[in-house]
Each structure stands twice: as C-alpha cells, then as structure tokens.
Amino acid sequence: MDVQTAAVPPPRAGAAEGSEVSAEPAPSAGPGSAIELVGIAKTFASRRGTVAAVERVDLVIGEGEFFSLLGPSGCGKTTTLRMIGGFEDPTEGQILLHGKDVVGVPPNHRDVNMVFQSYALFPHMSVFENVAFGLRRKGVAKRDTESRVREMLELVQLEGKADRRPRELSGGQQQRVALARALVNRPRALLLDEPLAALDLKLRQAMQLELKRIQREVGITFVFVTHDQNEALTMSDRLVVMNAGRIEQLGSPREVYEHPRTRFVAGFIGTSNFIRRPVRSMEGDVAVLDSGTDERIVVPGARGRRRGRTPRRRHGAPGEDRADRAAALGRPLRHPGACRGGRVPRHVDAVRDAVAGRHLTDRVRAERGRRHRPR
Amino acid sequence: MSAVLDRPVQAPQRTRHPRRWRGWLLPTWSWLVIGWLCLPIFVMILFGFNNTQGKFNIKWQGFTLQWYRQLFTIPDLTNALEASLSIAVIVTVIATILGTLLGMALGRYKFRGIGSVNLLLFANIAAPEVVLGASLLSLFLTVGIPRGYWTIVIAQVMFSIAYVAVTVRARMAALDPALEEAARDLGANGVATFFRVTLPLLMPGVMAGALLTFALSIDDYIITSFNAGQTVTFPLWVYGASRNGVPPQVNVMGTLIFGFGVLLAVAGAAINRRRQA
C-alpha cells in the first residue's frame, strides 16, 4: 500500500489542542486593523541577480491581536517583520500602520517597536538606561521616564535589576529587558523576531505564557515571528504560515492545525502521515479510499473539499452535488497546483495496521490517486 | 551483589607529577624576556637621574634631580618637544577621526572596492617607512608644497590612519548590527544612534587606535626626517644631538613621555574594566 509516513516525531500531547488554542474560527481582523500589508514584495540583489525574499504578501493584522508569522527559515517571515519595523523597504506594495502608508518612513518615526532575536541590549548601559532609552529620545520628562521604566520593569518582574548591566543577567532576564525596552514606549504594535529562540525549552515555555500574559495586560498588537509551530499555535490569536516568500495559509491555530489548506502547511504543522490513494467513493462525509488490497480506508470528514478546494473547482461550476465532486477526487493529477484539494484528515484505522509497530499520528490525509479513473 | 560490595572502593589515585624543569623554566624565560624588553627603558629613566659631568651621559656618576629642575634650559630641545607634542595631538585627532570612519565602513558595509581599500591599508602598514618618506617627499617637491610643520602632520596622518582603521574595523565587525537598529527603533535618529550607541561601543577600538597613533607620531623619525624641512621635532633633535652627546634632559623628557603613555594605557584599561563591570 502506498503510504508515506512523514518523518516527524510523535506530537507532544496537547501541543496544539490544549486550552490555549481558541476553538472559534479565525476572527477576522475586523475594522480596527493595526497593520495592513498590501501586495508587499521584497527582492534582494545578490551576485546572481535578484533573490525574492517576499512575494506579494497581503495581510491585515487587527488591533490588539496576537499574530504570528510562522514558517521555516528563509521563508520571508523575518523580512516581512523588518519591513513593518522599517528596517527594510519593500520593493513593491504598501505598508499601512493604522491606515497610514509608512513605506520610506525610518524606524525612529514609526509607532512600532521591535524585540530583536539577539535582544540587542545596549551593553554599555544599565538595565534602567536600556529601558529608558526610547523615552529619553522622545524627550519624556525625567520623572515620567523614571516611573514608567520602574513600572515596566515590574511588569516583566525585574524590579531589582535596574542597575545591572545586561551581561550580568541570564538569557531569560535579558529577554525581559528587551521586552520592557520596547513596551515602555507604548507602541501601537510590538514586533517580535524569534524572541524565544535562544532560550532553553523550559524557559521558552515559561516565557510563552509570560508573553501572553503581558500581551493581555498591555493590550498591544503583537506580531510574532517564529519557526516553532508549538510557539505559534499556543500563543497566537491568528497566524499565517509562510513558505518561500508567500503566505500558505491564514487562520486561527485550530483552523490551520485541523484544516491545513496546502500540502506544505499539512507537513509543516503538526505531525502527519500522508497517504496518496484514489477515492473509491463518498459516503456522506466519509471518503472511502482504495487501498489497493481488500481493505478499505475510511476517512471521515473530507473537509478540504467542502471548502471548495478540489481541483474540480477549476473545471466545474460551484454548487455541483457532493458525489460528483467526490468523484473528482479520483481524477488523475496533472497540474501541481491542483494538488490543493482532496485532503481528508483524521483517523484511519486501516493505516494503523498497515504500518504495524509504527507510532502513528492522529492525522492522515488522502490525496487523489494518479492512475485511477473515477467510478 | 556482594561481589561488588566486598571490594573496597578505591579512590582514583592522583598521579603526582614531580616538579620538573618545566616548572621553573617558563617563568624564568618569561621574566628574562620582560627584562630584555624593559632594560632600555630602565636605563633611560636611570640616566635621567645621573649626575653626569661631561658631554656624554653614559657613565653613572651619582644621583641628582638637577636635570628635572633644568628640564627646559635647552631652548632648541624645548621647541622640538613642543613641536612633537603639538604635531602628535593634531595627528592623533585627525587620524583617529578619519581612521574611525574608514574602519566603520570597512567593518560594517560591503561596497565596491572594499577589497582594494583593505589591501591599501595593509600595504600602508607593511610598506617600509623609507619608501613612504621618500615618495612623500618627491610628491611634496613635485606639487611644490614647502616642507615644514604641516607636511609632517600630513605625512604622519597618512601612515597613522591605517592603524586606527584596522583596530576600529575589527571592533565594528564584531558589533551586532541589531544594536544600531534597536536604537533607531527606539526613536533615535542617525546622529543620536551614532553618539549614544555606535561610538561608545567602538570606543575601545578607537582609543587603542588613538594611543597607537600618538605613540607612532611622537617618535617617528624616518618619514618625518624626509618631510620636516626646517622644523625640528623631538626625535630629529635627539638624533642630531647624539653626535656630540645627548644631554640628560632628553632622558627626562623620554621618561615623562613614557610615564604619560603608561598612565593613558592604565587609565584606558581601568575605564574598560569599569564599563564591563
């Protein structure tokens, strides 16, 4: 039987479906959009011509949202974040911060602050001076600066460390200083570039909760870049999965986890096995796959299709009846783009037997067969 | 089980190395080298206190402080020292500023011709001083610039920039670019970013370059001698005087300059240590 087991470790129990994941479908950004990216593209000049880091990204991030950009390294997520922060200018497109186009506006005139991956704390300044840096540049009165910095150090639980130098602090503490230094300016949005990547697992998990708590307390829009799916899934209100400079999927963690829209997302998020078999028939919401033996593979909830993502959509008119569309699943695949449809998630017991002894995940997806005629 | 417990547990025996010749050879050798390096300086300092009678200050004739009291009794020597000090200060300021800017560019950015500039710096440091001095002289002659105080300054700035640039370049290359981005992000404009973040972090490199420049400038003989014209600097005067006996005041001045240099170096180290504490 043609079963592809994606080489991924078993999932951490409750990694994505724990209490942190909101059950509602993705709330849309709504009217109060904090950040809007309109057709953003960025190409870098290299020795062999130009390299596209980001290609035509459209995105609306809502006010007060915890929004994640998730993807493998080199997918353009950091470049996107840096464009929002003003450290790179897009080659094309518009960046709207609260409705105002800020392309060409330098970082010091943008109402967003950034937490850098390396923290970028000023080593020649004390923790207090680091946090006060932004307020002093803006000419905030001395007494206000003092009290706001103290308040912020309290928020990140570093009250006693004001006079320390960054190098005297642990990684987690440095991370908090970086957070305080950005938040003290009360930005309209906070940009976080893989801020937890340098921490060990335990500290990282603690900081995830901590970040979430702080975000709830200050109510500021957080844009969070990470390559760690656990991080993105546990913390975000919504997220995008990026690949090769494009957005693969936008949605709530639950949506993205349970209904991956593309094969890339399915492979990147969670832990999945891929089964590529022709669909023999559709019985209600259950797809029956041809296993090539006497066994049948029964896959409940062929949701990808219901959302109109079958290749059928390209040929047929919408509103065709389900059986018809199900039949379409069995069509030979010619166009790589057509791969989008026909994924069928959830348990398949037959598969569990088929790869005896292998630890299996709870997600299995079926794709259309290649040499099969619809029945 | 008993088989395991019956056997007495033996602590691992630490093998003691006998104190061999290696134990004392390294310290002895080190102190010999240090002594060798410091000997000329000790002699210079010592003979500044020599109660010498004749023209030559080479035989110990008893302790005196009179040369310290009569430090500025030789007008030509005093003038030469003044010239040297003022040239050194000017050269240090100019070369440090230019070298720092150059070092920053080389340490941070990739630009067309960066390889050639790096090569040029290396060539500048590696080239024999005689060659530099002679070719500068021919340049000044060709262009028709009268040799004197300012040609010395130009010549010394020319060879000092490379030293500053190299030390600053190393420092700059090690600096996380995100630090400057963070400053911009927090509302600092370019100027504030430079003076509050970049420059303070480059300071150790800048200071090292400046000290090096000062030291190179104040005792440069070869290049200066080509381009000095009628101006006499401290090294030029000492060299001229050496034929008919160097007066002990020279030792005293040398001692003072050396002491000043040591003081600066110690102060720099102390500041660095406090900064890192």
Side-chain angles (χ1 to χ4, degrees):
Chain A
M1 201 181 108
D2 179 17
V3 174
Q4 300 175 341
T5 303
V8 271
R12 199 159 58 85
E17 292 182 305
S19 55
E20 289 292 331
V21 179
S22 64
E24 314 91 72
S28 72
S33 76
I35 299 167
E36 256 181 89
L37 306 184
V38 186
I40 286 295
K42 175 72 185 176
T43 54
F44 289 104
S46 81
R47 285 199 182 165
R48 292 181 214 147
T50 57
V51 177
V54 175
E55 299 177 40
R56 315 218 107 267
V57 164
D58 292 285
L59 204 54
V60 179
I61 299 171
E63 192 73 63
E65 202 174 11
F66 198 119
F67 193 93
S68 291
L69 303 171
L70 174 65
S73 37
C75 73
K77 56 192 192 298
T78 294
T79 306
T80 305
L81 193 76
R82 289 174 58 81
M83 287 194 283
I84 299 172
F87 302 108
E88 312 278 356
D89 269 330
T91 325
E92 263 177 63
Q94 278 185 306
I95 297 171
L96 307 179
L97 295 183
H98 304 97
K100 273 206 311 239
D101 189 0
V102 293
V103 170
V105 176
N108 45 325
H109 292 299
R110 292 193 189 195
D111 215 1
V112 295
N113 282 114
M114 184 128 157
V115 175
F116 291 84
Q117 185 172 8
S118 60
Y119 312 147
L121 299 178
F122 306 128
H124 57 301
M125 297 182 194
S126 68
V127 166
F128 183 93
E129 289 169 320
N130 263 284
V131 178
F133 189 89
L135 298 178
R136 288 180 176 163
R137 297 287 79 69
K138 290 194 187 74
V140 173
K142 211 172 166 205
R143 269 179 44 210
D144 290 355
T145 304
E146 174 97 22
S147 67
R148 276 170 73 176
V149 171
R150 299 277 168 211
E151 191 182 304
M152 198 45 69
L153 287 178
E154 211 167 292
L155 181 74
V156 297
Q157 299 167 351
L158 283 175
E159 298 96 327
K161 311 280 188 202
D163 297 325
R164 300 287 184 87
R165 293 290 165 115
R167 81 179 66 218
E168 298 173 275
L169 303 180
S170 70
Q173 290 170 332
Q174 291 183 17
Q175 218 275 314
R176 289 155 195 262
V177 176
L179 197 62
R181 187 179 67 173
L183 281 176
V184 78
N185 305 293
R186 296 176 187 153
R188 299 286 293 269
L190 185 71
L191 313 177
L192 303 106
D193 183 10
E194 309 218 16
L196 310 180
L199 305 179
D200 62 73
L201 181 64
K202 199 144 192 190
L203 196 52
R204 191 156 68 224
Q205 286 167 353
M207 278 307 294
Q208 287 174 8
L209 298 177
E210 188 73 10
L211 266 181
K212 203 57 190 160
R213 170 184 74 80
I214 289 170
Q215 199 248 347
R216 269 195 295 267
E217 269 178 48
V218 296
I220 291 174
T221 312
F222 274 35
V223 185
F224 188 87
V225 159
T226 180
H227 62 261
D228 181 332
Q229 49 157 312
N230 278 342
E231 230 164 74
L233 291 173
T234 41
M235 297 166 75
S236 320
D237 297 322
R238 290 195 309 154
L239 61 131
V240 285
V241 181
M242 292 185 69
N243 181 35
R246 294 169 186 278
I247 291 180
E248 292 274 339
Q249 186 170 2
L250 164 74
S252 72
R254 175 156 292 239
E255 264 181 345
V256 171
Y257 184 78
E258 294 195 349
H259 307 290
R261 219 186 63 193
T262 65
R263 168 136 187 168
F264 174 82
V265 175
F268 190 75
I269 301 269
T271 323
S272 309
N273 293 316
F274 293 93
I275 303 174
R276 181 186 294 271
R277 294 307 300 159
V279 173
R280 185 181 289 166
S281 64
M282 285 296 288
E283 294 161 11
D285 266 357
V286 177
V288 179
L289 308 189
D290 192 346
S291 69
T293 67
D294 289 345
E295 289 171 293
R296 297 192 321 162
I297 304 177
V298 179
V299 188
R303 274 171 294 207
R305 225 175 22 74
R306 265 191 295 169
R307 293 169 69 204
R309 296 283 174 193
T310 60
R312 204 45 193 156
R313 201 178 179 196
R314 290 165 180 257
H315 316 296
E320 281 169 310
D321 80 74
R322 256 185 212 168
D324 241 30
R325 291 211 198 171
L329 284 166
R331 279 224 180 119
L333 187 73
R334 285 204 188 87
H335 199 272
C339 195
R340 299 203 152 186
R343 311 162 303 86
V344 195
R346 308 311 300 174
H347 269 306
V348 179
D349 283 331
V351 179
R352 192 157 287 182
D353 295 332
V355 255
R358 272 309 278 265
H359 187 99
L360 260 188
T361 68
D362 70 339
R363 208 144 57 89
V364 160
R365 39 201 22 258
E367 291 192 3
R368 301 181 309 129
R370 286 178 186 277
R371 296 172 301 274
H372 190 82
R373 301 205 143 263
R375 299 190 174 192
Chain B
M1 184 184 169
S2 62
V4 178
L5 286 184
D6 282 348
R7 213 167 43 206
V9 180
Q10 273 205 324
Q13 197 90 57
R14 188 181 293 173
T15 47
R16 284 197 62 209
H17 287 284
R19 264 181 90 79
R20 282 178 303 185
W21 51 271
R22 253 191 269 173
W24 53 265
L25 185 68
L26 184 62
T28 310
W29 176 251
S30 306
W31 284 110
L32 274 175
V33 171
I34 291 169
W36 171 259
L37 292 174
C38 292
L39 194 63
I41 298 168
F42 285 138
V43 170
M44 173 191 76
I45 295 172
L46 186 68
F47 278 79
F49 296 105
N50 188 13
N51 191 8
T52 182
Q53 304 300 326
K55 267 163 73 172
F56 292 95
N57 182 16
I58 42 176
K59 227 162 106 192
W60 184 250
Q61 286 169 308
F63 181 85
T64 180
L65 284 172
Q66 65 161 312
W67 309 121
Y68 280 81
R69 282 194 294 272
Q70 300 169 14
L71 186 55
F72 299 118
T73 48
I74 307 170
D76 284 354
L77 175 60
T78 307
N79 289 341
L81 183 69
E82 275 173 15
S84 263
L85 285 175
S86 67
I87 286 172
V89 169
I90 295 170
V91 167
T92 302
V93 170
I94 298 176
T96 302
I97 292 173
L98 293 180
T100 298
L101 297 176
L102 183 56
M104 283 176 64
L106 292 171
R108 169 60 48 81
Y109 303 106
K110 296 269 167 281
F111 51 90
R112 195 180 291 271
I114 187 169
S116 329
V117 176
N118 277 322
L119 191 68
L120 200 67
L121 285 188
F122 179 72
N124 193 330
I125 291 172
E129 287 203 39
V130 178
V131 177
L132 291 179
S135 44
L136 257 177
L137 174 62
S138 64
L139 174 72
F140 288 140
L141 285 171
T142 312
V143 182
I145 299 173
R147 270 77 57 216
Y149 189 89
W150 290 105
T151 48
I152 297 176
V153 171
I154 292 171
Q156 295 193 349
V157 166
M158 182 272 299
F159 74 74
S160 302
I161 282 179
Y163 291 93
V164 182
V166 166
T167 53
V168 174
R169 180 181 63 190
R171 187 87 195 165
M172 190 74 185
L175 206 65
D176 182 2
L179 287 167
E180 285 164 305
E181 290 179 350
R184 294 305 300 272
D185 186 63
L186 294 167
N189 57 25
V191 177
T193 300
F194 178 75
F195 283 108
R196 296 192 180 271
V197 175
T198 318
L199 192 58
L201 293 174
L202 289 180
M203 221 41 186
V206 174
M207 288 312 294
L211 284 176
L212 207 56
T213 301
F214 192 87
L216 286 170
S217 163
I218 206 147
D219 80 339
D220 182 70
Y221 179 81
I222 302 174
I223 294 179
T224 306
S225 70
F226 276 101
N227 301 289
Q230 295 305 307
T231 307
V232 179
T233 63
F234 183 64
L236 294 185
W237 194 91
V238 173
Y239 183 77
S242 63
R243 260 164 282 167
N244 30 6
V246 177
Q249 280 92 338
V250 169
N251 291 54
V252 175
M253 287 176 180
T255 303
L256 294 178
I257 292 172
F258 173 73
F260 179 66
V262 169
L263 210 69
L264 277 183
V266 169
I271 289 172
N272 246 355
R273 180 171 298 188
R274 215 189 48 195
R275 190 189 293 261
Q276 277 163 23

